[in-house]
């Protein structure tokens, strides 16, 4: 499912752009969910609950303009694709500060929009993997490579990320046991911990020492399978083969 949002204060432009995207998608029959917003605040609220993959965003809007909305989006989501659709060229340079993928002038040429969307879809297929985490106040998209380890704490789950950042999830621990797989470098080393093997500095028979300096317990029952998994991820083969 590819989630696309269009945000513009003109209802006529929203419908026109929706029609163009529907026409673009028809031959390929992609699985697309399309949502329309007439102001930046509504867009931000919806994205916090269920992140979009692509956002087509007007710049000149009352109250919260497109550049301001994009800055707020980027504070919590580094991967969403943002495309500005605007009648003015004066914000082109500023659009780079929020890592916009493109800047299309109105009236939007359908061929230009279609080429832009094709490129974004191509990028997404080759992009770094991420996970959507439902937090206490917002939903976050987190790159798998940023996750150091995941820890169950009472009824919540805490994601420990690179840069000493944390994200707290309201979803149960088993949700992530089924999502964070060994093929992506993750191993459940204890009933309450999942580690990213790529972030391990060293380990002993009872503890895993992360590159950040954190110590993670290693269950006795997991010791043999952990070592085999570690060598598989780091060296591409099982520990017994070395």
């Amino acid at each position: 499912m590819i989630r696309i949002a269009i945000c513009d204060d003109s209802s006529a432009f929203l419908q026109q752009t929706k029609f163009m995207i529907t026409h673009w998608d028809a031959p390929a029959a992609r699985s697309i969910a399309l949502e329309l917003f007439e102001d930046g605040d509504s867009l931000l609220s919806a994205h916090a609950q269920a992140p979009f993959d692509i956002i087509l965003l007007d710049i000149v809007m009352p109250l919260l303009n497109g550049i301001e909305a994009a800055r707020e989006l980027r504070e919590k989501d580094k991967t969403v694709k943002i495309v500005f659709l605007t009648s003015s060229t004066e914000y082109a340079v500023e659009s780079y500060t929020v890592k916009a993928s493109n800047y299309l002038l109105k009236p939007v040429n359908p061929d230009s929009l279609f080429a832009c969307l094709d490129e974004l879809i191509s990028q997404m297929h080759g992009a770094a993997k991420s996970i959507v985490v439902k937090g206490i106040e917002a939903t976050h998209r987190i790159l798998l490579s940023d996750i150091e380890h995941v820890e169950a704490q009472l009824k919540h789950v805490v994601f420990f990320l690179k840069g000493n950042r944390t994200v707290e999830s309201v979803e149960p621990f088993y949700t992530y046991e089924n999502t964070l797989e060994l093929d992506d470098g993750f191993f459940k080393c204890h009933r309450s911990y999942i580690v990213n093997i790529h972030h391990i500095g060293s380990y002993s028979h009872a503890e895993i020492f992360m590159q950040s300096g954190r110590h993670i317990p290693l269950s006795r029952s997991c010791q043999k399978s952990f070592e085999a998994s570690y060598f598989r991820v780091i060296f591409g083969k099982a520990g017994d083969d070395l």
Side-chain angles (χ1 to χ4, degrees):
M1 175 70 71
I2 303 168
R3 289 176 46 76
I4 300 177
I6 312 170
C7 183
D8 196 288
D9 60 337
S10 167
S11 58
F13 181 80
L14 286 174
Q15 294 303 321
Q16 179 187 25
T17 309
K18 177 182 178 181
F19 176 81
M20 285 193 289
I21 293 176
T22 302
H23 178 73
W24 161 77
D25 179 55
R30 303 173 185 85
S31 180
I32 286 181
L34 190 60
E35 293 190 37
L36 311 181
F37 302 92
E38 294 189 359
D39 61 84
D41 287 325
S42 299
L43 169 66
L44 292 173
S45 178
H47 187 77
Q49 296 304 312
F52 295 100
D53 299 297
I54 300 172
I55 296 176
L56 307 180
L57 183 58
D58 186 20
I59 291 182
V60 183
M61 296 187 293
L63 301 178
L64 189 70
N65 69 37
I67 296 292
E68 293 167 340
R71 285 201 184 101
E72 291 197 31
L73 286 166
R74 279 287 176 250
E75 287 180 4
K76 294 184 177 179
D77 192 333
K78 308 298 183 186
T79 62
V80 61
K81 307 295 185 183
I82 299 174
V83 176
F84 286 118
L85 308 179
T86 181
S87 56
S88 173
T89 60
E90 64 179 293
Y91 299 97
V93 174
E94 199 170 2
S95 70
Y96 288 104
T97 66
V98 292
K99 295 181 172 57
S101 298
N102 214 323
Y103 191 101
L104 302 180
L105 290 175
K106 296 177 180 179
V108 175
N109 180 286
D111 289 338
S112 297
L113 177 60
F114 298 166
C116 174
L117 292 172
D118 286 338
E119 175 63 22
L120 294 181
I121 297 298
S122 176
Q123 290 175 12
M124 287 168 56
H125 286 163
K129 292 184 179 181
S130 63
I131 185 174
V132 174
V133 175
K134 187 175 181 181
I136 297 174
E137 297 181 351
T139 300
H140 308 266
R141 190 201 310 275
I142 301 173
L143 292 175
L144 295 187
S145 59
D146 281 350
I147 301 172
E148 178 194 85
H149 76 275
V150 182
E151 179 179 340
Q153 295 184 358
L154 298 176
K155 294 183 178 181
H156 293 167
V157 175
V158 180
F159 283 74
F160 290 81
L161 311 177
K162 291 195 301 187
N164 291 319
R165 296 176 294 130
T166 60
V167 170
E168 191 168 348
S169 171
V170 297
E171 295 178 296
F173 188 66
Y174 67 78
T175 300
Y176 304 111
E177 292 181 59
N178 298 328
T179 304
L180 300 173
E181 301 177 333
L182 183 61
D183 286 346
D184 295 314
F186 293 93
F187 182 84
K188 184 184 176 185
C189 61
H190 182 277
R191 65 182 181 183
S192 301
Y193 292 86
I194 299 172
V195 294
N196 185 340
I197 290 174
H198 296 291
H199 289 290
I200 292 175
S202 62
Y203 63 90
S204 69
H205 70 284
E207 281 189 297
I208 297 171
F209 307 100
M210 308 305 292
Q211 294 170 359
S212 66
R214 297 187 181 98
H215 295 191
I216 308 297
L218 175 60
S219 294
R220 181 178 301 176
S221 60
C222 294
Q223 289 173 5
K224 187 173 181 179
S225 58
F226 166 74
E227 189 164 41
S229 298
Y230 177 86
F231 283 106
R232 173 183 163 186
V233 170
I234 300 301
F235 302 108
K237 57 173 65 178
D240 292 341
D241 295 337
L242 295 177

